[in-house]
Amino acid sequence: MTEFKHKRADFPEDFQFGVATSAYQIEGHGFGGAGRTHWDDFAATPGNVVRAEHGQRACDHYHMWEQDLDLIAAAGFDIYRFSASWARVLPDGRGAVNPQGLDYYDRLVDGMLDRGIKPALTLYHWELPSALADLGGWRNRDVADWFADYTDILCRRIGDRIWSAAPINEPWCVGWLSHFMGGHAPGLRDIRATARAMHHIGLAHGRATQVMRGLGMGNLGAVCNFEYALPLTDSAADRKAAQLYDGIYNRWFVGGMFKGDYPADVLEGLGPHMPEGWQDDMATICQPLDWLGLNYYTCKRIAAEPAAAWPHLSEHVGDLPKTQMGWEICPDGLSHFLQFVGDYAGTLPLYITENGMANPDSPDQPDHARIAYLNDHLDAAKAAMAKGANLKGYIIWSLLDNYEWSLGYEKRFGLVHVDFESLQRRPKASYQALQKALART
Ligand code: GCO
């Protein structure tokens, strides 16, 4: 497939398109006085990251940002969803500010506005300052205050020009993937740490939201990731296991943030490990929000494992065609979640804040698979809109090939190819197809 089936004109007038990136994955953390992060520590530990790759140089967006913003503008995107690095602003996570860091985000935001691009800020996309990790990181309740202070310092500088803001990207990854599964920094496999992190993330979200409201910022939301949980077989046990997986992955954070309540099935397992008095925090976690962002990539097949420890389940991959990540391509899940989140977000505007695929792209090979993937997911989005989902925008992960965390630089998610030796950027066929589809006629 070489063309997009969908055109801008096929969507409502106020529907917007965008691209997303994150700080540690593209900026080059070795530049500009940024402090050490727990991702630098995680990557420096054998076995955590493919080839021990890290984000010290990444795409060198720190120096090449003008060129990258030009690419966003030239494609016709309305929104750029970017993140700021806590350790670039506050190298030790609190205390001394790095003025170069604030200057950098200031330039970046002005650069977006100069090009007619709306800045959609995420405050935390996973690079916790190492100095805070030393103090327990997300396990320490104080993280909510540290995060509120960082939010205040950054947003006093750039908040007046931000179009939208969300505190924490993909709470499930920050909590469960990083503290229960050990797949992301800090690489823990510990249920007590998990329960605490999963609660303190919500608290930090709530506190940061209060700070931004206090500064007069509007259009504040949350960005959660959702994975479509399907039972491996039709047995009652597998169906129950899939439901619990759904609770942990898809219902815990929106439950806290939109209802001030955690799902009972998940509390059965996490409850005994929660910090004392957690119930008193629910009002802070549940702040009024202006929108909900959904990051969606794939489905998972879940089987019951009665002999294993809670949550007594195992994860499997089914037979659908797969991306370079080995993730099944399952657009049905996207329509499902666009309906499902209505139970939490009501009639608030929804944004797909991430969707996209990794593909083994080379500059001379058109990425037709990505065009098909995006087309199919836009089909699913439109189906949900036809059923009433209040979807207002579609943001693609990602602008550039970048640092795919524990999988290093091998998995290419970009609309633009990056040669990690020369750092040369080359728009892929998907970029060109989107440029045509987004043109205002
Ligand atoms: C995410 C992430 C990105 C990943 C992408 C692909 O929010 O999950 O924001 O950092 O690179 O999802 O795995």
Side-chain angles (χ1 to χ4, degrees), residues 243-248 251 262-270 310:
Q243 211 180 347
L244 178 56
Y245 185 89
D246 180 66
I248 295 167
R251 287 185 273 115
Y262 292 135
D265 51 354
V266 184
L267 270 179
E268 266 177 42
L270 286 188
W310 186 88

Side-chain angles (χ1 to χ4, degrees), residues 331-384:
D332 286 353
L334 182 59
S335 354
H336 163 79
F337 285 119
L338 287 169
Q339 302 287 307
F340 159 89
V341 296
D343 288 352
Y344 296 86
T347 55
L348 285 183
L350 305 176
Y351 291 86
I352 295 166
T353 31
E354 279 182 32
N355 178 235
M357 75 178 288
N359 198 49
D361 300 313
S362 67
D364 43 13
Q365 241 178 17
D367 58 336
H368 292 159
R370 179 170 291 103
I371 296 176
Y373 180 100
L374 299 175
N375 257 328
D376 292 348
H377 285 79
L378 273 170
D379 276 340
K382 277 193 140 176

